[in-house]
Amino acid sequence: MPSWRRMPALALAAAIALPLLSGCWDRQELEDRALILGMAIDEVNEAAAGDHEHTTHLHEPKSLRNHRILVTAQIAIPGRVPLGPGESGGGKQGGLPVWVVKVTGYSIDDALNNLQQEIANPRSLIHLRIIVVSEKIARRGMEDINDYFRRNSEVRRSTWIVVSDIEANKLMNVAPPLERVPTLYLLSMIEKSVEMGKFPPQYSGNFWSAESRLGQDEFLPYVSIRQKENILLKGMALFRGGKMVGHSEPIEIGSYMAIKGLNPGGYSILGDVPGIGAIMLKSNRRIAQTKVSIRNGKPHAHIVVHLDTSIEEKIDGESERYTAEDFDLIRNHMGKEVSYFLLEFIRKTQRYRSDPFGFGEMFRAREPAYWNSVIKSKEDWEREYAGMTFELECKVAIRREGLKLN
Amino acid sequence: MSDTLSISSIRMAALVTSANVGIGVLTLPRFAAVGAESGAPLLTAAGILCGTMSLLLLAYLCSRHPGENLIFFSEKLVGAPVARVMNGLLILYFLLVSGISLRQFGEVVVLVLLQKTPMQIVECMLLLVVALSARRDLIKFSFVHSFYLPFILLPGLFIVLIATRSIDPNNLLPLIGNHRGDWPNESVKIASLSQMSFVFCLLVPLMKFPKRAASSVAIGAAVGGSLYLLVVLTTVGMFGAEETKILTYPTLETARSASMGVGQRLDALFLIIWVISIYTTIYATYYFSVHASRDLFRLEDHRMLASFYMPAVYAVSMIPPNIHVLYSLWDLSGRYGFLLTAAYPLLLLVMSFIRSGRRRAHA
C-alpha cells in the first residue's frame, strides 16, 4: 500500500502520464483528411500545362526540363462514399462521391505539394488503392514514380499500378452503373480478374520486387476504355530497364500464367481440330515445370505445361459422333496449338528483351557458375535472354464437357 | 520479499528468448541480404550459432560459480582491478546498446506509426516505462519476461507462417549466395543480437538448479534464433535478396504484404508485438547496466541507479544525427560489443579452469 505521503507524487505521475499515454498527439479526424483513393499520371505538354505553381521550386530544375506531369487525384468526400450495400449515399445528392482534382508538377511529390496548396485538408495516401499511369509516361520510365511511392510509408505494397493506352485521367471518370466510386470500380475490375484467373496477382509490391531482381523484368496490367464507360483488360505492359517497351494481347496473359503455372485457370482457347471443327477449351488448372540448363554456353529452358481443361463449345460440328471418341485427337491437336502460341509469346518477349517470367532468376538460383561469370547487371541478362533457347511441351487433359455429349 | 523465490529453468529460457528477440527483427533481413544475398538464411544461422555458443560459454562459466554473479566472481578470477575495468566496460556497452536501440525504436515509430509525435516524446515514454520497471528486483524482472514471451512469439509465428505462402524458392537459391561475402564479419554482426540476453548471468545464482543454466540458455537462444531465422527466410524468400537490400525495414514490408487476402493490415498486429519485443530487449540491456552497477559499486539498492542512468541512455539515443549514422553506429557497437561480450567470459572461463586446477594440485 502506498503511504498517504506518497499520494501527491503518484497523482502528479498519473497527471503527466494521462495525456502522454493516451496517444492523442497524432489524433486526426477522418473528416479532416483528404483521402486519395486513386491517382492518374499523365504526360503534359509544356505549353498546355499553364503556369508553374512554384510550390517546391522557384527556378525550373535543369534535369527535369520538359518533364512535367499531370496528376489527377480522386479524393473521397467523407459522408458521401457509400459504405455498405444498403446506404443510398452519393448519386441522389448530385455528383460523384469523390472529388477529382488535377494538378501539374515536375514529379509526383511536386504535383502533390501543388495539390496541397489547393485543398484545405492534409492529403493522405493510406487509402490509395490504384495508380493509373498513361502509356507515354510508362514508356518514358517509371523510376521517379516508383521512388515516391516506395519511400512513402502510407502507401501499401498491395496497391495496384496499371498502365492505360489512353490518357490516364479518363479512367478516373469511368463510373459504370455497377459501382458508385469510379476508382473502386477499376480496382474491383482488376481484383476480380485475379480471382477468375485472368490476371496474375501483380501488385505494386511484386512489380517493385521484380524491378529489383537482376534476372526478371517487371510487368503491369494494361487497360483501355471501350464504349466510354467500359474498362478493358488489354494485356500485360512489358518493361525493360524501367521503361515500358511493349504489351501483350489478352490471351497472352493466359500464356504467361500457363508458363508460370499460375492458378486458377481462367482463359479459354479457341482452336480448329481437323475433322471435328472449332473447339473452345476452358483451362481450369495449370501446372508447369521448368528445367533450366546451359547448352553450348547459352541458356536453355525445357518447359512442360499441363492444362486441365473442359470443353465449353463445339462450333460447326463436322462430326455427329460422341466427342469422347475424339478426345485424344482434340487433346493432341490442341496441345500442339497451345504450345505453338505459348512459344510465340516467349519469342515476343525475347524480341522486346524483357523477361517477365523470371527465367534469369532460375539461372541465378540453379546455375550460379554461369550466372556469376556472365551476368553483372540487369542489361546483361536482358541481352542473354534474347538469345535463350526453349523447348516447350504442352499436355492438355480434357476432364469434362458439360451437359451435352456430342 | 520475493527474493526468497527462485528462478526455474523454463523461466530462464523464456527470459533469454524474449531479451534476444527485439531490435534486430525489423532490419536483420536487410543486413543478412547485404551480407550474403540469397545465402541470407545460412548467414543468419551461422551468426545465431556463433552468438549462442558465446552465451553457452557464459552460462557454463556462471554455473561453475553458482554462489555469486559475474560481477563478484570475476573479481576473484582475474583480480579486482582488471575485473572492475572490464565490468565497467560491460555496463557502458549495455548503456550504449540501450540508447541505440531506443533511437531505432523512435525512428520506426515516427516513420510509420505516429508521424506528428516528436521522436523525443516517443523515446521518453519507452525509457520511462523501462526505467520504472527496472526498479523491480531480479525475480520480478524474470517474471516480466516470461509474461510477455507468448505475446511476442505466437503472433510473430502467425505472421511469418502466413507469409510463407508467398515464398519463391528461387529467391533462396543458391544457398551460399552468388558472390562471396564477408561471412565471418557479417555473422559476428548477427551474433551480437543474441548478446541482448547477457543479463542472465546476474540471475544464475537465483536459479533453483544453477547447473542447468547452460541448457536453459541453449533452449532460449535456439527459440529466439529460430524466430529470427524464420523472419529472414520468409522475407528474403518473398522479396528476393536484391529487393530486401533496399528496403529500410524489410520485415515490416513482409507483415504488410502478408496481409493480402487474409484481412488487411496485419502490420498493425506486427507493430504491436514489435513494440513489446523492443520493450523487453531494452529492459534487459538497461537492467544489466543498472544491476551490474549496483554490484560493482557495492550499493545496497539499485532503484536510485535505475533513474540515474535515464539521462545517459537518452543522450546516447540523441547522438546520431540521422538514420545512416545510427545504423553505422549500431554496426560498430555490435561488432566490438560481441568481441567484449564473448572474449571476456572466455578469459574468465580459462582463469576458472586454471584456478580450479591449481586448487586440486594443492589438495
Side-chain angles (χ1 to χ4, degrees):
Chain A
M1 272 294 282
S3 68
W4 288 108
R5 267 179 301 151
R6 287 169 68 187
M7 274 318 230
L10 271 177
L12 186 68
I16 294 171
L18 193 68
L20 290 176
L21 282 178
S22 49
C24 286
W25 209 299
D26 271 81
R27 176 196 60 87
Q28 193 170 37
E29 299 300 331
L30 195 60
E31 286 81 4
D32 295 336
R33 283 184 178 195
L35 290 173
I36 299 179
L37 296 177
M39 222 187 258
I41 302 160
D42 280 300
E43 210 175 36
V44 68
N45 192 315
E46 194 70 37
D51 286 343
H52 292 261
E53 270 86 359
H54 297 296
T55 334
T56 63
H57 56 91
L58 270 180
H59 307 288
E60 185 183 41
K62 275 203 188 81
S63 63
L64 295 174
R65 188 156 288 163
N66 293 325
H67 213 274
R68 273 170 99 184
I69 55 172
L70 171 73
V71 173
T72 311
Q74 245 179 39
I75 300 167
I77 301 171
R80 231 193 270 173
V81 173
L83 296 172
E87 278 185 51
S88 58
K92 285 168 200 162
Q93 291 138 31
L96 292 165
V98 287
W99 174 27
V100 179
V101 183
K102 288 188 181 185
V103 279
T104 60
Y106 280 105
S107 66
I108 305 288
D109 202 29
D110 185 24
L112 287 180
N113 274 300
N114 291 338
L115 176 124
Q116 193 63 79
Q117 296 291 104
E118 290 178 26
I119 58 173
N121 297 334
R123 62 169 200 260
S124 161
L125 297 181
I126 50 173
H127 282 283
L128 179 66
R129 303 300 299 277
I130 194 155
I131 302 159
V132 188
V133 178
S134 78
E135 187 173 337
K136 278 185 189 158
I137 294 278
R139 283 190 187 268
R140 195 167 87 183
M142 298 273 294
E143 245 155 76
D144 47 341
I145 296 170
N146 288 340
D147 185 86
Y148 178 75
F149 291 113
R150 299 190 63 166
R151 249 176 236 283
N152 194 314
S153 68
E154 289 177 349
V155 178
R156 301 181 235 186
R157 284 179 82 90
S158 55
T159 310
W160 280 96
I161 305 178
V162 302
V163 177
S164 76
D165 69 341
I166 49 159
E167 282 165 65
N169 66 66
K170 285 192 178 151
L171 270 89
M172 289 284 109
N173 295 320
V174 178
L178 286 175
E179 185 88 52
R180 275 166 290 188
V181 185
T183 313
L184 296 186
Y185 177 72
L186 189 55
L187 179 76
S188 74
M189 158 99 203
I190 307 268
E191 296 219 306
K192 277 173 188 151
S193 58
V194 170
E195 268 168 45
M196 288 187 294
K198 299 262 186 209
F199 205 85
Q202 182 78 351
Y203 298 96
S204 58
N206 307 53
F207 173 73
W208 293 329
S209 297
E211 192 211 1
S212 299
R213 291 194 188 111
L214 296 183
Q216 184 171 16
D217 287 296
E218 59 275 30
F219 68 91
L220 287 175
Y222 186 58
V223 299
S224 183
I225 298 186
R226 288 285 178 276
Q227 297 138 21
K228 275 189 186 168
E229 296 268 279
N230 297 339
I231 297 160
L232 170 80
L233 187 54
K234 220 179 154 188
M236 294 159 54
L238 301 168
F239 285 75
R240 182 181 71 227
K243 293 183 169 117
M244 179 175 163
V245 286
H247 67 90
S248 76
E249 300 301 323
I251 180 71
E252 284 169 339
I253 306 172
S255 303
Y256 175 82
M257 295 181 79
I259 292 165
K260 293 280 280 182
L262 296 172
N263 284 311
Y267 280 88
S268 302
I269 315 141
L270 178 65
D272 248 327
V273 184
I276 296 166
I279 294 267
M280 189 76 114
L281 284 184
K282 183 180 183 295
S283 67
N284 295 321
R285 206 157 72 98
R286 314 172 177 114
I287 302 168
Q289 286 158 324
T290 307
K291 285 205 178 84
V292 292
S293 56
I294 305 299
R295 277 198 194 167
N296 311 324
K298 286 232 170 275
H300 174 85
H302 183 98
I303 307 168
V304 183
V305 177
H306 296 262
L307 290 180
D308 262 14
T309 62
S310 48
I311 294 178
E312 275 199 324
E313 208 177 21
K314 193 167 99 178
I315 310 146
D316 283 342
E318 289 170 26
S319 85
E320 288 303 311
R321 298 198 297 167
Y322 282 117
T323 327
E325 291 170 30
D326 298 319
F327 268 13
D328 279 343
L329 186 69
I330 298 172
R331 276 177 25 168
N332 292 333
H333 202 84
M334 292 300 270
K336 276 192 200 114
E337 196 137 315
V338 171
S339 52
Y340 177 76
F341 74 67
L342 293 186
L343 267 178
E344 192 85 322
F345 178 54
I346 292 178
R347 298 240 166 77
K348 186 178 196 171
T349 61
Q350 283 184 304
R351 280 198 297 279
Y352 288 133
R353 279 188 281 136
S354 162
D355 171 18
F357 308 97
F359 287 120
E361 281 298 299
M362 289 183 200
F363 285 100
R364 189 193 53 71
R366 287 160 212 275
E367 301 283 348
Y370 156 80
W371 181 268
N372 296 343
S373 63
V374 178
I375 311 293
K376 299 278 177 283
S377 66
K378 202 161 173 151
E379 290 86 64
D380 287 340
W381 170 248
E382 284 161 354
R383 197 188 53 242
E384 283 288 300
Y385 178 63
M388 188 174 163
T389 53
F390 288 92
E391 256 176 281
L392 195 143
E393 247 179 281
C394 180
K395 293 178 179 162
V396 174
I398 299 172
R399 301 295 182 199
R400 53 193 71 86
E401 54 168 323
L403 297 177
K404 178 171 165 282
L405 292 178
N406 74 337
Chain B
M1 175 184 75
S2 55
D3 267 326
T4 53
L5 289 167
S6 57
I7 296 168
S8 68
S9 308
I10 293 179
R11 190 160 339 119
M12 189 61 147
L15 178 135
V16 171
T17 307
S18 103
N20 278 355
V21 175
I23 206 75
V25 171
L26 274 186
T27 45
L28 177 63
R30 171 157 54 92
F31 293 138
V34 168
E37 298 174 340
S38 59
L42 201 64
L43 177 66
T44 311
I48 288 166
L49 203 66
C50 190
T52 308
M53 291 308 285
S54 78
L55 286 183
L56 280 179
L57 270 183
L58 180 65
Y60 177 64
L61 174 69
C62 289
S63 64
R64 281 174 65 91
H65 304 270
E68 293 167 312
N69 70 28
L70 182 85
I71 308 299
F72 292 112
F73 72 67
S74 61
E75 292 184 13
K76 288 181 190 152
L77 287 177
V78 288
V82 180
R84 282 187 188 153
V85 169
M86 293 305 281
N87 294 339
L89 276 179
L90 277 177
I91 290 165
L92 286 179
Y93 169 65
F94 280 108
L95 280 179
L96 181 75
V97 167
S98 306
I100 301 175
S101 306
L102 190 65
R103 175 62 178 270
Q104 292 190 42
F105 170 77
E107 289 289 347
V108 178
V109 169
V110 168
L111 186 65
V112 298
L113 279 180
L114 309 168
Q115 275 138 2
K116 281 195 223 153
T117 312
M119 189 174 68
Q120 288 80 350
I121 298 290
V122 173
E123 288 187 7
C124 283
M125 284 319 291
L126 185 71
L127 190 57
L128 202 65
V129 174
V130 167
L132 282 178
S133 41
R135 296 168 70 87
R136 304 295 133 215
D137 63 30
L138 285 161
I139 301 285
K140 282 179 190 152
F141 169 74
S142 74
F143 268 125
V144 169
H145 280 282
S146 53
F147 173 78
Y148 280 120
L149 184 64
F151 295 102
I152 299 170
L153 276 191
L154 297 179
L157 217 56
F158 172 68
I159 292 170
V160 164
L161 289 181
I162 286 180
T164 48
R165 291 183 312 159
S166 10
I167 289 183
D168 177 0
N170 280 335
N171 287 334
L172 299 169
L173 288 170
L175 285 177
I176 51 163
N178 284 81
H179 302 96
R180 187 174 299 166
D182 186 2
W183 282 57
N185 218 335
E186 301 289 337
S187 51
V188 163
K189 211 155 93 179
I190 294 170
S192 70
L193 287 176
S194 40
Q195 301 304 319
M196 301 296 153
S197 59
F198 198 87
V199 65
F200 77 82
C201 63
L202 300 179
L203 281 83
V204 173
L206 291 177
M207 283 183 77
K208 219 178 282 170
F209 308 104
K211 291 281 161 209
R212 292 192 194 159
S215 63
S216 299
V217 169
I219 294 169
V223 173
S226 318
L227 189 68
Y228 271 129
L229 189 61
L230 275 175
V231 163
V232 173
L233 210 66
T234 44
T235 305
V236 177
M238 200 162 167
F239 297 128
E242 295 301 320
E243 175 80 351
T244 313
K245 279 185 200 172
I246 58 170
L247 294 171
T248 314
Y249 303 115
T251 314
L252 181 66
E253 302 286 359
T254 310
R256 286 176 154 203
S257 308
S259 47
M260 280 177 216
V262 195
Q264 295 280 331
R265 299 262 134 170
L266 218 56
D267 52 330
L269 175 69
F270 172 76
L271 282 168
I272 292 167
I273 64 162
W274 177 77
V275 169
I276 297 175
S277 74
I278 296 294
Y279 161 71
T280 54
T281 303
I282 299 185
Y283 186 26
T285 53
Y286 189 75
Y287 198 85
F288 176 83
S289 296
V290 169
H291 223 272
S293 310
R294 180 189 84 164
D295 293 343
L296 184 68
F297 301 128
R298 302 291 195 276
L299 299 174
E300 278 296 303
D301 191 50
H302 67 278
R303 282 183 293 188
M304 185 262 292
L305 280 171
S307 320
F308 182 71
Y309 280 149
M310 271 170 71
V313 171
Y314 179 75
V316 168
S317 82
M318 285 297 141
I319 290 173
N322 58 43
I323 191 157
H324 188 71
V325 175
L326 172 67
Y327 281 109
S328 339
L329 200 63
W330 177 239
D331 192 16
L332 269 179
S333 84
R335 215 169 288 169
Y336 292 107
F338 185 71
L339 207 66
L340 176 71
T341 53
Y344 179 48
L346 190 66
L347 171 80
L348 291 178
L349 192 63
V350 171
M351 291 307 290
S352 171
F353 278 130
I354 294 173
R355 298 241 162 175
S356 67
R358 203 178 289 161
R359 215 173 299 140
R360 215 169 294 142
H362 279 296

